[in-house]
Structures are given as C-alpha cells and as structure tokens.
Amino acid sequence: MRRETEEWLRIAYEEYQSASILIKEGLYRMVCYHAQQTVEKMLKAILTEHEVDFSRTHNLLDLKNATSALGYHVDLTDEDAAFLSSIYRARYPAILGFLPGGDPVSQDAANALHIAEMVVKFVQSVLPTGRS
C-alpha cells in the first residue's frame, strides 16, 4: 500500500474515532462533521492508492463517482452522500444553510455515524490495513 494512502486512512480513522466519542457527549454538530470527514478521506484513500488525481473537493458524490469509475461500489447511496455533503457545512452557523431544520439532532448524528461506519467497513475490505 502506498504511504500516502496509509496516511489518508490513518487520518480517516481518527475522524471516525472522534465522531464515535463525540456522539456519547451529545455533540451532534461535530459528530456530523467528523463523519463526513471520515467518508471523504476514506474515498480519497482509494483514489490515492490507484494514483487517481482528484480536486480539492468535499463533495462526496463526486468522490463516490470517481471511486465507482475504478470499479469500487462503495456502500454509500447518492442520498447518503448528499446528506453528508450538506452536513459538511456544520462548521458554519445554521443560518447559512446547514440542515433544513437547523442544527443536527441525535438522529442526524446517528445516521451520519452509521454511514461513516459502513464506508469504513467497505474500505477495510478493499484496502486491508490490519485495522478492524
């Protein structure tokens, strides 16, 4: 495995661990942010491993499509990619268009974390790193 791929994965796992800890503390906005970052970095790891250049984007649908073009069928629906991409704005105040209902609630955070977990498991199956 390429060293750069390993670095993307290492940081993605940290994002996932952060989201997993933060949900227990009820910090739903940050759970959503770190879940999105987990998925983004996992997809970028696949692209990096295959030496595919990608733009500096946070758009998960674009990244999912790029990995699909390589033959990977990530456990990420278009709806889930759009949801996580919309919650990436969690780093901004809700007035700027975060979620239609404003700040995320526990169900939003749980959904975001579940999506991230599915992608982590998928990437572990195609880019084994010894983590489980």
Side-chain angles (χ1 to χ4, degrees):
M1 181 177 301
R2 296 170 44 105
R3 186 167 182 242
E4 189 178 354
T5 303
E6 290 176 350
E7 189 65 12
W8 277 112
L9 291 173
R10 184 185 67 77
I11 297 169
Y13 286 119
E14 287 179 8
E15 298 282 5
Y16 179 69
Q17 289 171 329
S18 296
S20 298
I21 292 167
L22 291 169
I23 200 164
K24 295 172 189 168
E25 299 299 321
L27 298 171
Y28 304 133
R29 175 186 297 268
M30 290 297 101
V31 171
C32 292
Y33 172 76
H34 289 291
Q36 186 280 340
Q37 287 289 287
T38 299
V39 174
E40 178 181 326
K41 289 174 173 94
M42 286 284 173
L43 296 177
K44 287 179 176 179
I46 291 172
L47 297 173
T48 299
E49 184 64 13
H50 291 277
E51 300 182 19
V52 174
D53 291 328
F54 49 87
S55 65
R56 292 183 62 164
T57 184
H58 302 292
N59 187 310
L60 298 182
L61 193 54
D62 290 346
L63 293 169
K64 176 191 170 197
N65 290 338
T67 57
S68 292
L70 293 172
Y72 291 97
H73 301 289
V74 181
D75 293 333
L76 179 69
T77 66
D78 289 353
E79 292 79 17
D80 288 344
F83 170 70
L84 287 177
S85 289
S86 74
I87 64 174
Y88 178 73
R89 292 186 212 91
R91 62 197 200 288
Y92 300 117
I95 196 165
L96 297 179
F98 176 55
L99 289 171
D103 286 339
V105 296
S106 64
Q107 185 58 39
D108 297 319
N111 186 35
L113 189 58
H114 174 73
I115 295 165
E117 181 180 5
M118 298 281 290
V119 174
V120 166
K121 288 179 179 179
F122 173 80
V123 174
Q124 286 174 332
S125 75
V126 298
L127 297 177
T129 62
R131 287 189 181 248
S132 54

